[in-house]
Amino acid sequence: MRARISILAFGVPLVVLCVVSFASRAATSPEAPSVILIQNATVLTVSHGIIEHGSILIKDGKIAAVGQNLKAPDGAQIIDATGQFVTPGIIDCHSHIAVDGGVNEGSISVSSIANIADVLNPDDRDIYYDLAGGVTAANVLHGSANAIGGQTIVIKLRWGQPAWKLPFEGAVPGIKFALGENPKRSNIRLTGVPPRYPTTRMGVEETIRAAFTEARDYKKKWDDYNKRLVAGEKALVPPRRDLRLDPIVEVLEGKRYVHSHCYRADEILMLLRVAKEFNFKVRTFQHVLEGYKVADEIAAAGSGASTFSDRWAYKVEAYDAIPYNEAIMTRRGVIVSINSDDAEEATHLNQEAAKMIKYGGLTEDEALKLVTLNPAIQLGIDKRVGTIDVGKDADLAIYNHHPLSAYAVVQKTLIDGRVYFDRERDIAARTDLEKEKQALAEKEKKAAQPAGAKPGEKKPDAGKPGEGKPGEGKPGESKPDSKKPDSSKPEEKPKPPASSFSGGAL
């Protein structure tokens, strides 16, 4: 955080410089070796145990071999990870990074037309900061102002690449739902703006039910049309397209995942009932701070839970959160992940996972799964990432200590076999970056001085049009007397009214 403050303190030009400098050292060049061997590391595979003095062979962005004593092919790039630990890249199942502008389209309660994919910002520096925390993929969500919000997208944190290269190829798209206080907006009152429906929890439920009722009828019209078209009928008129309902139909067809913001047990059960009624699955309950109360019901529905480690009591509906939530849900058969919902929090999700060893007694493997394999399963990308196995994408994080240690610091982060973050290279570049910042600051200072002025000399005040030189009045006008300091005593502040309370303490 300190680095961000020092950069922003110099003004907009330096922010631009910062972005350019980050990009210049972000990723290896396209000409980088297609074969990489990470050797002499402790490899935490997550799927099949720990390999001491292990090696990982990467070819064309994929893991080609994992084991001990692997030989480097000719021309391979060698990464010596002696004394270090390699894990699958961290996957954040609830993120709002890389979004250009606000994440909420709060004007209407069903904003399924909005799509986060349309506003991805590849220059968001949080991408780089999260890479420095070992994050390689993130589920970028719409906000929670709506019962049914905008469409979501899974991205890889390919810093330095254009926006069209950020999406995780083949990942199932999602849509954001929200329950409870946020979508009912009962605490928001704007002058001159009437309250937006819904303003109660039962209104949130009926908003979701009404949308799915419309989508079901809309889908039937299209199904009937397509059947008649296949049967050879001529001169058919297709149903009118409804961009609001198209994403909801995809949910009914299993082509789009539902990720629902929630807190309380009653609202979790409510959405499970609605999902059963319309025959769709809630892929993940997000936040789900009272999930431990209804863990059996979540597990029976086949839904996942993506939550915080120990954040609660920031509002009334979060008061019943407990640090044993993840462990209880895990023991009851729920696939659980820990997410950030915050760019800074994402930089240490490994430590958030480690807390579950203390709170609930999860094993090291179970704790690591909370930020690797489990979110991959929840996002439907576990065949590609989440563990260190042959054939999977080479999305990896290399730590100087065990990743569940408070002393662990990421040394390198790889995505598709390319080094997108290198701590050693980052530190080496900081001196040059500081020089660039100072040079730009001096240039900015000189640009503010008038031509011919001495360094530090201020530009004279030109005065208003029609006036003489500074300090001179108009011709024939006497110079006003200099204002004497007010010698009157300051007014006494009014004393507070005497309290009429005569009892004990309030």
Side-chain angles (χ1 to χ4, degrees):
M1 182 62 72
R2 221 174 281 137
R4 300 187 205 187
I5 294 171
S6 64
I7 290 168
L8 293 172
F10 286 94
V12 173
L14 290 186
V15 173
V16 176
L17 170 66
C18 169
V19 172
V20 172
S21 298
F22 276 160
S24 66
R25 65 179 190 269
T28 52
S29 67
E31 294 76 28
S34 60
V35 181
I36 298 174
L37 180 67
I38 303 173
Q39 60 184 15
N40 303 322
T42 299
V43 180
L44 308 179
T45 66
V46 175
S47 59
H48 57 279
I50 300 172
I51 303 174
E52 300 287 353
H53 309 293
S55 300
I56 303 171
L57 181 63
I58 301 168
K59 290 184 178 180
D60 299 321
K62 300 285 186 178
I63 298 173
V66 183
Q68 294 178 323
N69 305 317
L70 297 182
K71 300 298 182 182
D74 293 339
Q77 176 184 336
I78 305 295
I79 298 178
D80 185 6
T82 301
Q84 299 178 343
F85 295 76
V86 185
T87 71
I90 287 176
I91 301 167
D92 189 353
C93 197
H94 188 127
S95 176
H96 298 294
I97 66 170
V99 177
D100 187 12
V103 298
N104 269 313
E105 176 49 62
S107 56
I108 52 179
S109 191
V110 178
S111 61
S112 48
I113 321 95
N115 194 338
I116 291 294
D118 295 334
V119 290
L120 287 178
N121 175 17
D123 295 328
D124 183 356
R125 286 167 293 162
D126 286 326
I127 297 173
Y128 186 77
Y129 298 139
D130 287 2
L131 277 170
V135 181
T136 54
N139 186 27
V140 184
L141 300 174
H142 185 271
S144 54
N146 321 79
I148 297 180
Q151 300 167 48
T152 69
I153 189 167
V154 181
I155 66 170
K156 286 199 179 190
L157 275 57
R158 298 180 176 117
W159 175 253
Q161 302 297 324
W164 65 271
K165 286 192 175 182
L166 293 183
F168 194 120
E169 302 84 353
V172 176
I175 189 167
K176 176 73 174 289
F177 283 23
L179 313 176
E181 296 299 314
N182 290 23
K184 73 187 186 72
R185 299 165 69 87
S186 56
N187 58 340
I188 297 176
R189 289 291 181 269
L190 301 176
T191 304
V193 179
R196 187 200 74 183
Y197 183 87
T199 60
T200 64
R201 275 181 158 78
M202 59 185 173
V204 170
E205 177 179 358
E206 288 312 312
T207 297
I208 297 171
R209 178 174 279 107
F212 273 93
T213 300
E214 281 188 78
R216 183 173 58 189
D217 295 342
Y218 174 69
K219 179 179 182 298
K220 185 178 184 305
K221 289 179 182 178
W222 274 101
D223 289 345
D224 291 343
Y225 167 79
N226 288 325
K227 285 180 182 177
R228 293 170 64 188
L229 193 66
V230 171
E233 288 192 38
K234 306 295 183 182
L236 290 174
V237 178
R240 183 178 180 180
R241 284 286 305 281
D242 190 325
L243 300 180
R244 181 177 62 95
L245 296 178
D246 282 344
I248 304 175
V249 169
E250 290 178 337
V251 171
L252 292 172
E253 295 175 338
K255 298 175 182 177
R256 184 174 293 275
Y257 290 157
V258 172
H259 302 288
S260 183
H261 163 114
C262 63
Y263 289 96
R264 290 178 10 183
D266 56 349
E267 63 195 25
I268 295 168
L269 294 177
M270 176 274 289
L271 188 56
L272 287 176
R273 287 195 300 270
V274 173
K276 185 175 181 180
E277 177 184 343
F278 289 95
N279 196 30
F280 71 90
K281 180 185 288 187
V282 180
R283 190 71 182 190
T284 65
F285 286 98
Q286 299 282 333
H287 310 323
V288 63
L289 297 185
E290 291 187 18
Y292 65 94
K293 296 181 180 180
V294 289
D296 289 342
E297 288 82 355
I298 296 173
S303 298
S306 188
T307 185
F308 303 135
S309 60
D310 56 3
R311 288 160 61 187
W312 55 78
Y314 45 86
K315 53 182 176 178
V316 173
E317 60 182 343
Y319 271 22
D320 271 5
I322 60 173
Y324 301 92
N325 187 33
E326 293 88 331
I328 292 173
M329 288 192 291
T330 297
R331 295 290 177 252
R332 303 306 294 183
V334 180
I335 300 296
V336 181
S337 68
I338 289 181
N339 66 57
S340 73
D341 197 16
D342 176 81
E344 191 279 330
E345 181 92 349
T347 64
H348 50 85
L349 279 176
N350 58 309
Q351 295 176 5
E352 298 303 298
K355 294 175 183 178
M356 295 307 103
I357 296 175
K358 174 179 175 62
Y359 296 112
L362 295 188
T363 66
E364 289 186 5
D365 260 357
E366 288 173 326
L368 277 176
K369 285 180 181 178
L370 295 174
V371 291
T372 54
L373 178 58
N374 288 2
I377 293 171
Q378 292 173 345
L379 297 175
I381 55 176
D382 51 301
K383 291 183 179 179
R384 295 266 305 274
V385 292
T387 63
I388 300 179
D389 284 298
V390 173
K392 288 196 172 184
D393 296 0
D395 293 6
L396 307 166
I398 303 177
Y399 292 85
N400 60 346
H401 293 282
H402 193 289
L404 298 178
S405 165
Y407 296 100
V409 177
V410 172
Q411 304 302 301
K412 288 181 176 62
T413 302
L414 291 79
I415 298 176
D416 303 319
R418 294 178 61 183
V419 179
Y420 276 85
F421 172 78
D422 186 321
R423 181 172 175 79
E424 186 177 332
R425 190 165 68 229
D426 183 281
I427 292 173
R430 291 178 190 178
T431 301
D432 292 337
L433 178 60
E434 188 61 33
K435 289 178 181 177
E436 284 185 79
K437 286 165 57 180
Q438 294 299 330
L440 186 57
E442 288 297 322
K443 187 175 181 180
E444 196 173 28
K445 187 186 295 184
K446 289 178 181 178
Q449 292 177 348
K454 297 178 181 178
E457 185 178 356
K458 290 184 177 179
K459 187 176 182 179
D461 186 7
K464 296 179 180 179
E467 291 183 349
K469 294 180 180 179
E472 293 183 358
K474 295 179 181 178
E477 196 173 61
S478 60
K479 190 175 181 180
D481 295 333
S482 58
K483 190 175 181 181
K484 296 180 181 179
D486 188 2
S487 59
S488 61
K489 294 181 179 180
E491 290 185 14
E492 293 185 5
K493 293 182 179 179
K495 296 180 180 178
S499 173
S500 60
F501 179 75
S502 58
L506 286 170

